[in-house]
Amino acid sequence: MTNTLITLESRPSGAIQESNFGMKTEAIRGLNDGEFLVAIEALSMDPAIRGWMNAGTTYIKGIALGTVMRSFSAGKIVQSKNDTFKVGDYVEGMMGAQTHAISDGTGIRLIDVSKSRLTHHLGVLGMPGMTAYFGLLRRGEPKSGDIVYVSAASGVVGSTVGQIAKIKGCTVIGSAGSDAKCKFLLDECGFDFAINYKTENLDAKLKEYAPNGIHIFYDNVGGDTLNTALANLAHGARVVICGAISQYNDMANIQGPANYMKIVTARGYMTGIIVFDFINEWPDAANEIADWIAEGKINVKEHIVEGLDNYFPTLQMLYTGENFGKLILTI
């Protein structure tokens, strides 16, 4: 039996290039006691991958050159010498961009696919959904009546943030890069307002939709979007920094928040979310989100591409805005 894997061959300077990646096939070794073999069926394509390709350590060590690309993956156990993880069980975890993975169970969670799609456990019920859940509820602390603005709102994190905010009684504004994505936010996610930042003036629209200011800004974009939102904060506002997709390709020259003094005049605060800080609480959060999906309170959109050989063009979609919904690569 063989394993095919995507490797990191060089570190990108700026935008990712196909030459940064390699693909190779190798024999799968035998299992040691306590280990199991997973046939991976789907990979989560996440903006954070770009940061993981850099050298050094931030909240997580950079991927070593020549090794498998880091990825949250999901699949079925096909061999096992582990009493907890049995043949036929489905699992999810950071198993890499490959067709098969051997694990001893560290960082791997069993998932129930009888009541939900496997791919949901890489999106709304996985790391992105947990990022939305804890970023909004623990960092943003929404209250009924708050006005919440979410950037990159049509992605799985942004759309989940907005829908949870609606459940909590908030007015929700989202921005996205096309009329189709804005229509999705309004018609399928229940947002109150949607802004096409490519064709509309973001500052003018925020002043129109939130004349008294934004109480929570959940940012996935950074750059100009962050600066504009800071200029429109309400008293006591909370700014949650989740990501900065507009800045990832040139982190050496990152555009910082020039309007940061608005935090002072608004008597607000700016904070960050690293979802792994809440990992022990993921199961309860996933159960609550699953209930909301079953009740029709959260709608899920996925963008699925097939084939490990499409790894590079699929990952590239994240940084060009081509994907519409949670981006998944199936094996």
Side-chain angles (χ1 to χ4, degrees):
M1 187 181 294
T2 60
N3 175 39
T4 300
L5 60 156
I6 303 296
T7 59
L8 178 64
E9 295 301 314
S10 62
R11 302 196 188 280
S13 175
I16 60 172
Q17 305 294 325
E18 191 165 8
S19 59
N20 298 136
F21 306 96
M23 176 183 278
K24 65 180 181 179
T25 299
E26 59 187 18
I28 298 174
R29 66 169 174 81
L31 298 179
N32 297 320
D33 288 343
E35 293 182 330
F36 53 90
L37 175 67
V38 181
I40 293 173
E41 298 182 15
L43 310 178
S44 177
M45 308 301 279
D46 299 300
I49 292 172
R50 177 62 185 83
W52 297 342
M53 294 173 70
N54 295 332
T57 301
T58 53
Y59 68 93
I60 192 170
K61 189 175 182 180
I63 302 166
L65 292 177
T67 66
V68 65
M69 283 296 298
R70 185 176 294 144
S71 174
F72 282 95
S73 315
K76 186 177 183 179
I77 296 175
V78 293
Q79 295 179 18
S80 180
K81 290 186 177 180
N82 185 301
D83 293 337
T84 301
F85 296 88
K86 300 177 176 61
V87 171
D89 287 343
Y90 283 88
V91 293
E92 181 272 335
M94 201 174 275
M95 296 183 287
Q98 53 191 339
T99 59
H100 295 80
I102 293 175
S103 174
D104 63 2
T106 302
I108 304 298
R109 63 188 182 108
L110 291 163
I111 57 177
D112 182 2
V113 298
S114 65
K115 299 178 181 178
S116 59
R117 297 180 189 174
L118 175 73
T119 52
H120 281 185
H121 294 274
L122 294 174
V124 69
L125 300 180
M127 184 270 287
M130 299 302 100
T131 300
Y133 183 97
F134 292 107
L136 177 67
L137 298 181
R138 296 294 181 81
R139 296 292 188 249
E141 300 180 343
K143 299 183 293 293
S144 181
D146 279 349
I147 295 179
V148 178
Y149 166 46
V150 188
S151 61
S154 64
V156 62
V157 174
S159 62
T160 305
V161 167
Q163 291 178 90
I164 295 175
K166 288 301 297 180
I167 291 169
K168 298 301 178 180
C170 301
T171 296
V172 178
I173 306 166
S175 58
S178 73
D179 289 341
K181 291 179 179 180
C182 288
K183 188 175 189 300
F184 164 71
L185 295 177
L186 296 170
D187 295 350
E188 299 185 47
C189 297
F191 280 46
D192 297 282
F193 305 102
I195 304 167
N196 183 339
Y197 70 87
K198 291 185 178 179
T199 60
E200 298 180 285
N201 184 291
L202 181 61
D203 183 64
K205 286 297 180 181
L206 288 176
K207 285 179 167 58
E208 177 184 343
Y209 298 147
N212 296 315
I214 302 158
H215 299 100
I216 300 173
F217 173 43
Y218 195 106
D219 189 25
N220 297 296
V221 174
D224 290 338
T225 300
L226 173 57
N227 267 328
T228 301
L230 289 175
N232 287 276
L233 297 182
H235 182 88
R238 289 83 72 197
V239 177
V240 181
I241 305 296
C242 175
I245 192 77
S246 70
Q247 304 295 300
Y248 288 161
N249 284 332
D250 193 12
M251 292 295 283
N253 298 294
I254 192 166
Q255 180 184 344
N259 288 334
Y260 74 93
M261 285 301 291
K262 286 294 293 185
I263 292 288
V264 177
T265 56
R267 287 79 162 176
Y269 67 79
M270 183 183 292
T271 186
I273 170 66
I274 295 294
V275 70
F276 302 114
D277 294 343
F278 303 94
I279 197 162
N280 292 333
E281 301 177 66
W282 283 24
D284 289 341
N287 285 336
E288 187 165 24
I289 293 175
D291 288 342
W292 286 332
I293 294 172
E295 294 165 6
K297 295 179 179 178
I298 287 184
N299 189 36
V300 180
K301 188 173 185 64
E302 295 179 323
H303 185 147
I304 295 178
V305 180
E306 296 182 3
L308 192 60
D309 55 342
N310 286 319
Y311 183 85
F312 167 70
T314 306
L315 181 63
Q316 195 175 36
M317 287 182 183
L318 291 172
Y319 311 109
T320 59
E322 290 180 63
N323 64 299
F324 188 174
K326 171 57 190 169
L327 189 58
I328 301 282
L329 184 68
T330 57
I331 304 285

